[in-house]
C-alpha cells in the first residue's frame, strides 16, 4: 500500500492535463475522449450490468493463475464482492467505453475477463467489433457469459484458457494470415512483471500502425512499474500515456517517441 501511495504522489507531481500536451494526436485524444463529458446512453447499461453483479450474493470458487489478490485471502469469493473490489471501477469502465468509441477498433482482445465489467464496456464502445476475451477461471467466465446474454451483448467470444497457451499462437513462427489481428488489446489478467512482458512480446507480431494497447495496474507493484518502464522504452513503441491506473501504448511510426503523464 505504501508503494502505491508513493507512486501516486509522484504521479500527481508529474502529471498534466491537456494544457501540457503539445502532440496533436495526444491532445485530441485527451480533449475529445479522456475529458469527454457527454452522458452516453451506454453508461446506463454499464451501471445496470454492475448492479446485477452487486446484487448476486452467491459464492464461487475462483481459479487464479495470476499474481494473486491483495484483497481476497481465499479462492472462495462472493460474486458481489468480486464486482465491488476486483472489477474495473465505474469511472474506468466509462473511460474504456470512450476509448473504444473514439478509436472504433474492429477487433479487440481482452486478457482477463473476470465477471465482464470491462468486457461490457469494450463491447458497447463498438457494437460491430469482434471481441475475444480470455479467462483462466471456468466459474467466472461462465458467470460473465450469463451476464452478457442477459444484456444482449452478442459480439464477444469468451475463451477459457491459460493466457500463455492462447497467446503462444501469435509467435512469428506460428503466425499466418488467417490469425486475428487485434486493433486494441486490454491487458488485465496477470499483474506480474514477467507475465506482462511475456504477453507484450507474444503479441508484438500482431501490431499495426493503428494498434492501441492498454495495460492495467501499471503501478500495482514495483515489479509492474519495472515492466511498464521496459515497455515504454521498447524500440517498437512510440507514444505512451500513463494515467496512473493504466499505461496506454501506441506504435504509430509517424510519431516521435514521447511519454505523457495525464490526469484523467
Amino acid at each position: 500500500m505504501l508503494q502505491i501511495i508513493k507512486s501516486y504522489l509522484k504521479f500527481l507531481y508529474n502529471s498534466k492535463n491537456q494544457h501540457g500536451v503539445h502532440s496533436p494526436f495526444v491532445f485530441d485524444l485527451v480533449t475529445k475522449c479522456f475529458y469527454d463529458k457527454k452522458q452516453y446512453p451506454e453508461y446506463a447499461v454499464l451501471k445496470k450490468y454492475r448492479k446485477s453483479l452487486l446484487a448476486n450474493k452467491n459464492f464461487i470458487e475462483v481459479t487464479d493463475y495470476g499474481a494473486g489478490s491483495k484483497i481476497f485471502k481465499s479462492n472462495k469469493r462472493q460474486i458481489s464482492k468480486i464486482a465491488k473490489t476486483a472489477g474495473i471501477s465505474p469511472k474506468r469502465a466509462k473511460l474504456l467505453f470512450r476509448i473504444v468509441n473514439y478509436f472504433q477498433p474492429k477487433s479487440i482482445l481482452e486478457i482477463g475477463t473476470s465477471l465482464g465489467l470491462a468486457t461490457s464496456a469494450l463491447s458497447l464502445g463498438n457494437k460491430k467489433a469482434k471481441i475475444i476475451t480470455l479467462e483462466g477461471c471456468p466459474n467466472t467466465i461462465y458467470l460473465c457469459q450469463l451476464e452478457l446474454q442477459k444484456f444482449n451483448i452478442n459480439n464477444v467470444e469468451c475463451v477459457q484458457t491459460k493466457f500463455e497457451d492462447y497467446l503462444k499462437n501469435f509467435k512469428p513462427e506460428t503466425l499466418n494470415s488467417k490469425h486475428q489481428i487485434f486493433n486494441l488489446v486490454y491487458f488485465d489478467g496477470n499483474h506480474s512483471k514477467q507475465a506482462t512482458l511475456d504477453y507484450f512480446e507474444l503479441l508484438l507480431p500482431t501490431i499495426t500502425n493503428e494498434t492501441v494497447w492498454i495495460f492495467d495496474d501499471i503501478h500495482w507493484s514495483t515489479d509492474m512499474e519495472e515492466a511498464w518502464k521496459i515497455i515504454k522504452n521498447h524500440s517498437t513503441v512510440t507514444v505512451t500515456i500513463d494515467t496512473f491506473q493504466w499505461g496506454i501504448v501506441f506504435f504509430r511510426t509517424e510519431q516521435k517517441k514521447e511519454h505523457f503523464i495525464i490526469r484523467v
Side-chain angles (χ1 to χ4, degrees), residues 168-206:
K168 67 184 179 183
N169 293 317
F170 297 95
K171 289 180 179 178
E173 60 267 26
T174 59
L175 194 67
N176 60 55
S177 60
K178 294 181 180 179
H179 275 81
Q180 181 78 44
I181 299 299
F182 301 106
N183 306 119
L184 186 145
V185 181
Y186 181 55
F187 296 79
D188 184 25
N190 187 328
H191 301 138
S192 67
K193 175 183 176 180
Q194 195 55 55
T196 300
L197 294 175
D198 287 346
Y199 303 159
F200 174 85
E201 293 288 345
L202 286 168
L203 282 167
L204 274 180
T206 74

Side-chain angles (χ1 to χ4, degrees), residues 3 26 29 36 77-78 86 116 157 164 178 251:
Q3 175 267 328
V26 177
L29 175 61
D36 180 5
R77 303 172 187 175
Q78 192 172 37
E157 177 186 351
E164 58 271 24
K178 294 181 180 179
F251 304 88

